[in-house]
Amino acid sequence: MESAVLSRIGLAGLAVMGQNLALNIAEKGFPISVYNRTTSKVDETVSRASDEGSLPVSGHHSPREFVLSIRRPRSIILLVKAGNPVDQTISALLPFLDPGDSIIDGGNEWYELTERRQREAASHGLLYLGMGVSGGEDGARHGPSLMPGGHLQAYKNVEEILVRAAAQVDDGPCVTFVGEGGAGNFVKMVHNGIEYGDMQLIAEAYDVLRSAGGLSNSEIAAVFEEWNRGELESFLVEITADIFCVPDEHSGGELVDKILDKTGMKGTGKWTVQQAAELSIAAPTIAASLDSRYLSGLKDERVAAAEVLKQAGMESGLLSGRSIDKKKLIDDVRQALYASKICSYAQGMNLLRAKSEEKGWNLNLGELARIWKGGCIIRARFLDRIKKAYERNRGLANLIVDPEFAREMVQRQAAWRRVVGLAVEVGISTPGMCASLAYFDTYRRARLPANLVQAQRDYFGAHTYERVDHPGSFHTEWSKIARKTKSGAAGVFN
Ligand code: 2AM
């Protein structure tokens, strides 16, 4: 009797993401119960459900009523602020949950907190998932990319729902069971780190086109629109083209020129860089993107520095006298952006692999690239190529050495060097492109000057070194021998 009115699933936390995901799930035919601490948002969601096509959403004002309205074994998605609010929401629901029920945290949670909550949930017989959700408001409503990790059974209980609610691409829904523990949150964190890189690289492309190429906003819009029809086709390139078309209602011109040049952030990029450092994985493009956000925040200092350096003789027009072939520059920047992006993704993927090895998550990098093809902010045509690269070789050491990507990098490197060279010469900071190029040039070189650093370490700290021609570790009395040698031989300057 009662089961006829019970919901298939519940969702607690009805801010923008929660509301939209609840409506999406309901639209796919799964009756859903919703709850929010501030109950006006419950009523708002129910009213939207009615406006958007009598969707099966039932609103509840108390945690008890909410939990009891869901069919057992219950699955409840939480979309509340990460951190304490998740614990507080779980505490509110816990007295009414039964063994076998599942909690699915869809926030951008730190993966270790998810693992802690998983253990606590298990002590109550509950199952737990930490699920990355990407795609913003629109993605949540019409099909996000979903990255669930934790208890496999908790995933199985909602698989049919997630598969329908996720974005759909040519090779399936953008959801997969990522792995155990906090794997879902970790993968979402790295996704966001990669997103920082993509946004920074696009911003640098814009800066070179604007500052060196002298392109107007409408010309830049046309360039990005054109790029979105080729290898760079992606959500971020598409929205970037739109941004340059939006006029400023207040004072004419385009709105983009009136926006204060200070970037906000919520922390997942910082976590990505911290994790990369913890795991000894080089992620210079992502780190450069994070640093750029920090430096962008120092607006007042930058304005003052510009003035001090002008007084000190810094020329503002380093470009003067240079003739720039606009068409060639645009084509070079496209290639530089693409090659830089490959290096950035290579860093993110290698970070995922290192964590997977540490935690035993057995992450499938090709499958992760696949579920990022739709729904999420970094969705892009070339993710299909990344997927295929890992399908060809699951143990691929680095995307750069996949034969197809290797060929593309070589084809683009001359243009890439021209763009970075020009930017360096005329003083347009391109930290992301420079970091990517340096990553490429470091990774591809069979011999680095690390021999000298080893010698220095052994000189002052007796840290020992290995030799290229004999096994074992060696130590040399550098200063003694150097003194003797110097006293015996005339230097070139003597
Ligand atoms: P609220 O509407 O009652 O503020 C994003 O802020 C979401 O997280 C909102 O749904 C918000 O609920 C919820 N949230 C924030 N802090 C919370 C807390 N301590 N307990 C429960 N929900 C919280």
Side-chain angles (χ1 to χ4, degrees):
M1 274 279 292
E2 199 194 12
S3 66
V5 296
L6 294 182
S7 296
R8 172 67 179 83
I9 188 169
L11 189 147
L14 297 170
V16 173
M17 291 297 281
Q19 273 195 24
N20 283 291
L21 188 60
L23 294 171
N24 176 4
I25 289 171
E27 191 175 60
K28 302 292 153 54
F30 302 98
I32 186 165
S33 293
V34 296
Y35 166 76
N36 192 68
R37 178 182 62 174
T38 307
T39 55
S40 57
K41 287 198 187 132
V42 174
D43 303 335
E44 202 182 295
T45 310
V46 170
S47 138
R48 270 189 70 190
S50 147
D51 294 346
E52 295 183 23
S54 301
L55 303 175
V57 173
S58 71
H60 301 274
H61 286 190
S62 83
R64 179 175 185 276
E65 195 198 332
F66 167 65
V67 172
L68 297 183
S69 72
I70 305 163
R71 195 175 89 196
R72 288 175 65 188
R74 303 182 185 92
S75 300
I76 297 179
I77 299 175
L78 308 183
L79 271 162
V80 298
K81 253 198 220 127
N84 285 337
V86 176
D87 290 314
Q88 282 157 10
T89 308
I90 293 173
S91 297
L93 304 176
L94 193 59
F96 315 108
L97 294 171
D98 291 295
D101 290 351
S102 303
I103 296 168
I104 305 168
D105 178 11
N108 276 329
E109 189 54 280
W110 173 239
Y111 81 99
E112 287 178 329
L113 281 182
T114 288
E115 296 187 340
R116 194 250 295 154
R117 291 185 188 122
Q118 249 162 33
R119 290 190 293 273
E120 289 168 4
S123 72
H124 293 93
L126 300 172
L127 313 180
Y128 201 96
L129 286 179
M131 179 170 75
V133 178
S134 176
E137 184 175 344
D138 199 56
R141 179 67 184 85
H142 300 291
S145 175
L146 299 171
M147 298 151 242
H151 280 114
L152 182 59
Q153 187 55 48
Y155 174 70
K156 290 282 173 205
N157 291 349
V158 290
E159 187 174 18
E160 58 165 355
I161 302 175
L162 301 184
V163 158
R164 294 290 314 284
Q168 310 292 321
V169 291
D170 53 355
D171 47 9
C174 293
V175 58
T176 191
F177 179 73
V178 166
E180 290 181 347
N185 292 131
F186 195 90
V187 166
K188 174 68 197 316
M189 176 197 81
V190 174
H191 162 286
N192 286 19
I194 291 173
E195 183 183 308
Y196 274 50
D198 274 359
M199 294 170 79
Q200 174 66 25
L201 291 171
I202 288 173
E204 292 174 15
Y206 151 60
D207 202 7
V208 172
L209 293 177
R210 164 183 73 167
S211 306
L215 271 72
S216 67
N217 287 332
S218 63
E219 286 173 313
I220 295 172
V223 166
F224 275 91
E225 220 168 275
E226 171 68 28
W227 287 354
N228 198 41
R229 286 193 283 271
E231 66 196 7
L232 285 168
E233 181 190 322
S234 58
F235 172 71
L236 284 168
V237 167
E238 180 190 334
I239 66 164
T240 302
D242 280 353
I243 286 169
F244 289 105
C245 299
V246 173
D248 178 32
E249 286 179 353
H250 298 289
S251 47
E254 281 75 38
L255 179 57
V256 67
D257 292 329
K258 306 291 161 39
I259 296 179
L260 184 66
D261 49 333
K262 256 178 157 176
T263 313
M265 71 200 97
K266 289 198 177 150
T268 41
K270 181 177 86 178
W271 289 346
T272 304
V273 173
Q274 285 174 327
Q275 280 294 298
E278 287 289 337
L279 291 157
S280 307
I281 297 295
T285 312
I286 301 173
S289 311
L290 182 69
D291 289 341
S292 294
R293 291 195 182 196
Y294 293 150
L295 286 167
S296 81
L298 306 177
K299 174 73 176 177
D300 296 343
E301 280 185 46
R302 288 188 287 113
V303 170
E307 189 52 39
V308 170
L309 288 158
K310 192 172 152 196
Q311 298 299 329
M314 179 102 190
E315 295 170 47
S316 59
L318 290 176
L319 262 177
S320 56
R322 256 174 179 281
S323 78
I324 300 271
D325 178 342
K326 264 198 201 182
K327 202 158 171 281
K328 185 157 192 306
L329 180 72
I330 293 167
D331 198 54
D332 280 357
V333 174
R334 172 182 58 77
Q335 298 184 57
L337 178 53
Y338 186 78
S340 298
K341 218 172 121 106
I342 294 172
C343 289
S344 179
Y345 279 66
Q347 297 159 31
M349 288 305 199
N350 282 4
L351 170 55
L352 286 173
R353 175 161 31 224
K355 194 68 180 181
S356 177
E357 281 166 9
E358 183 199 78
K359 302 284 291 183
W361 284 338
N362 199 20
L363 295 180
N364 180 338
L365 300 182
E367 181 65 354
L368 296 179
R370 186 191 70 75
I371 66 167
W372 291 342
K373 280 173 59 180
C376 65
I377 305 298
I378 64 171
R379 63 187 184 257
R381 182 196 278 197
F382 104 126
L383 278 162
D384 190 58
R385 319 262 325 283
I386 296 182
K387 180 195 93 164
K388 290 190 174 123
Y390 284 111
E391 278 173 358
R392 277 193 288 277
N393 177 6
R394 222 184 140 156
L396 185 65
N398 191 304
L399 275 181
I400 294 170
V401 294
D402 167 72
E404 276 199 22
F405 281 120
R407 196 163 46 242
E408 289 186 341
M409 305 288 293
V410 173
Q411 283 164 352
R412 283 158 186 75
Q413 64 156 338
W416 193 9
R417 292 181 197 287
R418 279 194 296 274
V419 171
V420 168
L422 171 69
V424 168
E425 212 178 311
V426 303
I428 301 167
S429 55
T430 48
M433 287 188 186
C434 286
S436 276
L437 183 55
Y439 180 78
F440 175 69
D441 278 335
T442 305
Y443 188 71
R444 72 174 175 78
R445 291 180 70 209
R447 184 148 172 91
L448 291 171
N451 51 333
L452 180 59
V453 176
Q454 277 301 78
Q456 290 165 335
R457 294 179 69 241
D458 189 54
Y459 187 123
F460 64 69
H463 294 298
T464 74
Y465 57 88
E466 291 176 285
R467 295 182 57 101
V468 293
D469 49 358
H470 294 293
S473 63
F474 298 85
H475 170 62
T476 295
E477 294 295 328
W478 296 91
S479 67
K480 222 187 287 170
I481 298 171
R483 244 192 327 270
K484 223 188 285 165
T485 320
K486 276 194 287 195
S487 66
V492 282
F493 297 116
N494 292 356

